[in-house]
Amino acid sequence: MDELLLTGVFLGILFVLLGSGVWVGLSLIGVALAGMLLFTSRPAGDAMATTIWSASSSWTLTALPLFIWMGEILFRTRMSEDLFRGLAPWLMRLPGRLLHVNVAGCALFAAISGSSAATVATVGKMSIPELRRRNYPERMIIGTLAGAGTLGLLIPPSIILIVYGVTVNESIAKLFMAGIVPGIVVAFLFMGYIVVRALLEPHSMPPADAALRLKEKARESLYLLPVILLIMAVLGSIYLGIATATEAAVLGVVGALLLSALQGSLDRNTFVDSLMGATRTSCMIALILAGSSFLSLAMGFTGLPRELAAWIASLELTPLTLILVLTLFYIVLGCFLDGISAVVLTMAVVEPMIRQAGFDMIWFGVFLVVVVEMAQITPPIGFNLFVLQGMTQHDIPYVARAALPMFFLMCVAVALLIAFPAIATYLPETMSPAPGRPPT
Amino acid sequence: MRVILDRLYVVTGALAALFLVAIAVLVLLSIGSRLAGTYIAGLSEYAGYCMAASSFLALAYTFRHGGHVRVQLLLQRAGGRWRRALELWCLAIAMALAGFLAWYTIKTVIVSIELGDVSEGADATPLWLPQLGMATGAAVLALAVADRLLNVLRGGALEGGASDTHD
C-alpha cells in the first residue's frame, strides 16, 4: 500500500478511537497497535509488553504518585482557611483588595500542589463564600480564580511537567525550577489586571475590612508558616541540589502528613481517602504514559515524526512562526483533550521537530504548560471551568466568559516567554546539580 | 458473583495503594541510607517495580470509579439509544485492547520464568516477580471492562450511573 494512504488510515484510527470516547490510555495502545500492524512485520504484542514494562517500572516515574498524594493530603487539611487568613490582611490595601487573595492563594497553593483543579478547589472553598459575603463583583471572583488556578500546573510541583519530563526524557528537577519564575510572572499579570479593573471601576469594589494593627497582621501571617515551610522543604531542596524530584516529593508527603496531624485533620478516613485518590489519579496517568510509550515505539516505525520534522525543516519557518503555529495547534487541541493527554499524545511527533529546530527542551516544556493551561480555561473541555461550575452553580459559558480576560493575559505571558526565554531558563541554569544516584 | 467481582476490584485497588505507600517507604529508606553514609543496593529498582505494580493493580479499581480520562464531547451530546450504542462500541474496543494487553503481559511473565530473566540492575531480581503485578492488573482490568460491557448489554446503567459511584 501507498505510504500516504497508510498514514491516513493510521491517523483516521487515532481520531475515531479518541473521538468516540474510548479511554485515552487504551486508545493510545490501540493506535500504536494499528501502527505496528500497518507499518512493520515485528510481533506487535511482545514489543508492546516489553516497552510498557520498562516505561511503567521506571524510577523517574515515582515522583508522580508521591506529588499527587501530597496534594491529596493537603487538599483535606484546613489549608484553605489558613491561606485566606494569612493573606487577607496584607492584600486588603491594594486596589481590588481581597480579589488578590484568589491569585496569591493559588500561587502559594500551587507551590505545594501539582494540579490546577485541586488548586482552584482548595482556594475557592474559602474565598468564594468570603468574597461573595463582602459583595465583590461575581465575575471578577470567578474569573480570577479560574485563571489563577492554572498556576497549579505551572508552579512546581507540577504533574504535567513530570509527565512531560518523563515523556521527552528531561530532568524533572530542572523543569520544576524553570516553571517558578514564569508562574510568578503570570500571577503578577493577573494581579495587575485586578488593580487596573479596580482603579477603572472604583465603585464596583466593596470597602476594606477594618484594618488590623501590625501586631495582629503578624499574628495572622503565622497561618502561612506551614505552607511556606513546605514550599521551602520541597522546592528549596531541589534547587539546592539536596534532593532529587522524587526525594523532594517524599519530603512533601511526610511534611503534608505532619501538617495535617498538627492541625488535627488527619484521621483514618482522610488518610485512606487521600491515599486512594492518589492511587486512582496516578493510575490514570500511568495508563496514558504506558500507552504513549508504546505509541512512541510504533511512531518510530511509521516514520511519521521523521517525515514531519523533515517537512517542517524544508519549510524553513522562523522559530517564531513555528512556535506560533504550535501555540494555535495546542489551544485547538486543548478544546478536545485534557492537558496531560494533549502533551503525551503529541510529543512523539512534536519532539523530533522541536529538537531539530534547536529549541531548549526545558524552555519548551514551560511554554507547552502555559499553552496547555490556557486550554484549561477555554470551553468545551476546561477542567478549571468544570470545577468552578460545580462550586458556584454558574453554567460553563458564564464561567468561561468570566475567565476570558485571564486567557488574554496568558497570551501575554506566552509572548513574554518567547521574547525573554531567560524567564524560564535562568533558574535551571543556576541550580545545583541533583545528588548523584548510586550506580545501578 | 457480583459480590466477588466487586470485592476483587477493591482488593486490587487496596493492593495498589499499599504499593504506593511502599514507594514512599523505599524512597525514605534511600534518603536515610544516604544520610547515614551507607548504600542499600537496588532501592530505586524496587521503587520502580512498586510503581508498575501500583499503576497496574489500580487499573480496574480506577475504571470502576470512572477515573480514566476519555473524550466526552460526543458521548455528552449523544442521547438515549445512540449514547448506549456509543458506550457499547467504546466498551467493546476497550475490552479487546485490555484483553490484548493482559494476554501479552501474562506471556511476558511466562517467558521471564522460562528464560530465568534477571534484572540488569544491582538488585538482580528475577523479573517475573515484579512483572506479575503488571499482568494481574491488566487481567483484572480486562475482566472489569468485560463485566461492564455485559452489564450495559443487559440494560444496566451507563458510566456515571448510580451503580458506579459506590464501592
Side-chain angles (χ1 to χ4, degrees), chain A residues 16-27 29-30 33 44-46 48-50 52-53 56-59 61-62 64-66 69 242-243 246-247 250-251 253-254 271 275-276 278-280 282-284 286-288 290 335-338 341 380-381 383 435-440, chain B residues 13-14 16-18 20-21 23-24 27-28 30-31 34 39 43-45 47-49 51-52 54-56 58-59 61-63 65 67-75 77 86-87 89-91 93-94 97-98 100-101 104-105 107-108 120-122 127 130-131 134 141 145 148 159:
Chain A
V16 169
L17 286 186
L18 279 178
S20 64
V22 178
W23 292 266
V24 172
L26 290 172
S27 290
I29 293 179
L33 185 59
D46 296 307
M48 171 188 74
T50 323
I52 287 185
W53 166 248
S56 307
S57 60
S58 99
W59 154 260
L61 211 54
T62 53
L64 189 75
L66 295 175
W69 191 17
I242 301 170
T246 304
E247 290 168 352
V250 160
L251 292 182
V253 168
V254 173
F271 181 81
L275 182 59
M276 295 319 287
T279 306
R280 287 196 297 272
S282 76
C283 164
M284 176 270 282
L287 179 61
I288 296 177
C335 293
F336 307 100
L337 281 176
D338 65 285
S341 307
I381 307 286
F383 280 90
R437 264 180 65 202
T440 50
Chain B
L18 285 181
L20 204 164
V21 175
I23 297 173
V27 179
L28 273 177
S30 94
I31 298 176
R34 199 175 71 216
Y39 165 60
L43 279 184
S44 50
E45 278 78 10
Y49 301 150
M51 179 70 209
S54 172
S55 309
F56 276 87
L59 282 174
Y61 168 72
T62 307
F63 178 76
H65 272 264
H68 291 295
V69 282
R70 59 199 299 203
V71 179
Q72 301 268 9
L73 218 55
L74 210 55
L75 281 165
R77 276 168 186 60
L86 195 59
E87 189 70 29
W89 147 267
C90 288
L91 283 167
I93 299 262
L97 289 169
F100 184 78
L101 183 69
Y104 278 96
T105 46
K107 189 179 162 196
T108 305
E120 289 164 16
L127 275 181
Q131 284 170 344
M134 170 172 75
L141 174 68
V145 179
R148 170 76 60 74
E159 188 177 47

Side-chain angles (χ1 to χ4, degrees), chain A residues 80 82-109 123 127 131 134 136 144 148 187-188 190-192 194-195 198 205-212 214 217-218 220-221 224:
Chain A
S80 331
D82 288 0
L83 281 173
F84 192 88
R85 290 191 70 164
L87 286 169
W90 297 101
L91 299 168
M92 194 67 89
R93 298 283 119 213
L94 285 174
R97 307 187 201 289
L98 291 183
L99 283 173
H100 292 285
V101 172
N102 271 346
V103 180
C106 282
L108 278 180
F109 192 74
V123 175
S127 77
L131 290 177
R134 292 173 173 81
Y136 281 88
T144 51
F188 275 121
F190 289 160
M191 291 176 85
I194 296 174
V195 169
M205 297 294 161
D209 296 3
L212 297 175
L214 194 63
K217 265 191 191 175
E220 294 288 290
S221 310
L224 292 181

Side-chain angles (χ1 to χ4, degrees), chain A residues 1-13 37-39 302:
Chain A
M1 245 199 287
D2 181 19
E3 279 282 304
L4 202 65
L5 186 65
L6 282 176
T7 309
V9 172
F10 181 61
L11 290 178
I13 294 173
L37 295 176
L38 286 170
F39 289 89
T302 66

Side-chain angles (χ1 to χ4, degrees), chain A residues 20-369:
Chain A
S20 64
V22 178
W23 292 266
V24 172
L26 290 172
S27 290
L28 296 185
I29 293 179
V31 176
L33 185 59
M36 295 288 284
L37 295 176
L38 286 170
F39 289 89
T40 160
S41 52
R42 283 257 220 119
D46 296 307
M48 171 188 74
T50 323
T51 311
I52 287 185
W53 166 248
S54 58
S56 307
S57 60
S58 99
W59 154 260
T60 348
L61 211 54
T62 53
L64 189 75
L66 295 175
F67 274 123
I68 295 175
W69 191 17
M70 175 187 174
E72 289 275 350
I73 298 166
L74 291 172
F75 179 66
R76 291 173 172 79
T77 59
R78 286 202 322 258
M79 192 60 88
S80 331
E81 287 118 281
D82 288 0
L83 281 173
F84 192 88
R85 290 191 70 164
L87 286 169
W90 297 101
L91 299 168
M92 194 67 89
R93 298 283 119 213
L94 285 174
R97 307 187 201 289
L98 291 183
L99 283 173
H100 292 285
V101 172
N102 271 346
V103 180
C106 282
L108 278 180
F109 192 74
I112 42 175
S113 155
S115 119
S116 66
T119 305
V120 171
T122 309
V123 175
K125 195 156 62 181
M126 189 73 183
S127 77
I128 293 175
E130 290 289 326
L131 290 177
R132 273 183 175 166
R133 201 161 56 82
R134 292 173 173 81
N135 283 322
Y136 281 88
E138 181 80 4
R139 259 176 101 137
M140 284 296 281
I141 301 177
I142 293 171
T144 51
L145 197 55
T150 63
L151 292 170
L153 286 179
L154 184 55
I155 297 182
S158 157
I159 301 308
I160 199 160
L161 279 175
I162 299 178
V163 167
Y164 173 82
V166 169
T167 313
V168 302
N169 218 348
E170 290 285 342
S171 153
I172 289 164
K174 279 190 179 170
L175 283 165
F176 275 11
M177 290 304 121
I180 296 179
V181 181
I184 295 173
V185 168
V186 173
F188 275 121
L189 283 175
F190 289 160
M191 291 176 85
Y193 171 75
I194 296 174
V195 169
V196 170
R197 281 296 293 262
L199 292 177
L200 287 178
E201 308 160 10
H203 52 278
S204 71
M205 297 294 161
D209 296 3
L212 297 175
R213 273 176 295 133
L214 194 63
K215 215 171 112 189
E216 290 168 318
K217 265 191 191 175
R219 204 178 47 225
E220 294 288 290
S221 310
L222 279 182
Y223 284 98
L224 292 181
L225 197 63
V227 186
I228 290 170
L229 285 177
L230 260 181
I231 295 175
M232 287 191 342
V234 173
L235 296 186
S237 62
I238 296 180
Y239 184 75
L240 296 175
I242 301 170
T244 62
T246 304
E247 290 168 352
V250 160
L251 292 182
V253 168
V254 173
L257 283 172
L258 265 176
L259 188 141
S260 167
L262 288 176
Q263 280 191 345
S265 0
L266 185 66
D267 56 33
R268 211 189 115 91
N269 275 338
T270 52
F271 181 81
V272 170
D273 285 353
S274 71
L275 182 59
M276 295 319 287
T279 306
R280 287 196 297 272
T281 306
S282 76
C283 164
M284 176 270 282
I285 298 174
L287 179 61
I288 296 177
L289 284 172
S292 102
S293 68
F294 183 34
L295 184 63
S296 300
L297 179 81
M299 279 285 188
F301 287 112
T302 66
L304 211 58
R306 241 185 351 265
E307 276 160 34
L308 198 65
W311 178 65
I312 295 284
S314 75
L315 289 179
E316 294 183 356
L317 297 174
T318 61
L320 185 63
T321 327
L322 182 59
I323 281 296
L324 289 181
V325 172
L326 283 171
T327 307
L328 272 179
F329 170 72
Y330 276 105
I331 292 175
V332 173
L333 193 65
C335 293
F336 307 100
L337 281 176
D338 65 285
I340 288 173
S341 307
V343 169
V344 162
L345 180 65
T346 52
M347 278 332 281
V349 176
V350 173
E351 188 190 350
M353 193 158 93
I354 293 302
R355 287 196 190 270
Q356 192 178 41
F359 284 104
D360 181 306
M361 289 308 280
I362 301 288
W363 177 87
F364 187 76
V366 173
F367 158 81
L368 193 58
V369 171

Side-chain angles (χ1 to χ4, degrees), chain B residues 3-157:
Chain B
V3 180
I4 296 174
L5 281 176
D6 283 344
R7 195 160 291 168
L8 177 67
Y9 308 140
V10 173
V11 167
T12 46
L15 271 176
L18 285 181
F19 276 109
L20 204 164
V21 175
I23 297 173
V25 172
L26 285 169
V27 179
L28 273 177
L29 263 178
S30 94
I31 298 176
S33 67
R34 199 175 71 216
L35 290 180
T38 56
Y39 165 60
I40 307 175
L43 279 184
S44 50
E45 278 78 10
Y46 290 132
Y49 301 150
C50 290
M51 179 70 209
S54 172
S55 309
F56 276 87
L57 286 172
L59 282 174
Y61 168 72
T62 307
F63 178 76
R64 292 290 292 179
H65 272 264
H68 291 295
V69 282
R70 59 199 299 203
V71 179
Q72 301 268 9
L73 218 55
L74 210 55
L75 281 165
Q76 277 167 352
R77 276 168 186 60
R81 218 159 2 133
W82 282 105
R83 169 81 209 260
R84 188 165 286 272
L86 195 59
E87 189 70 29
L88 281 176
W89 147 267
C90 288
L91 283 167
I93 299 262
M95 190 181 76
L97 289 169
F100 184 78
L101 183 69
W103 178 270
Y104 278 96
T105 46
I106 291 170
K107 189 179 162 196
T108 305
V109 174
I110 296 172
V111 170
S112 291
I113 294 176
E114 280 172 353
L115 298 180
D117 268 352
V118 166
S119 156
E120 289 164 16
D123 55 315
T125 312
L127 275 181
W128 66 268
L129 194 65
Q131 284 170 344
L132 202 59
M134 170 172 75
T136 312
V140 180
L141 174 68
L143 190 64
V145 179
D147 180 11
R148 170 76 60 74
L149 180 64
L150 281 178
N151 197 5
V152 174
L153 273 177
R154 285 203 211 106

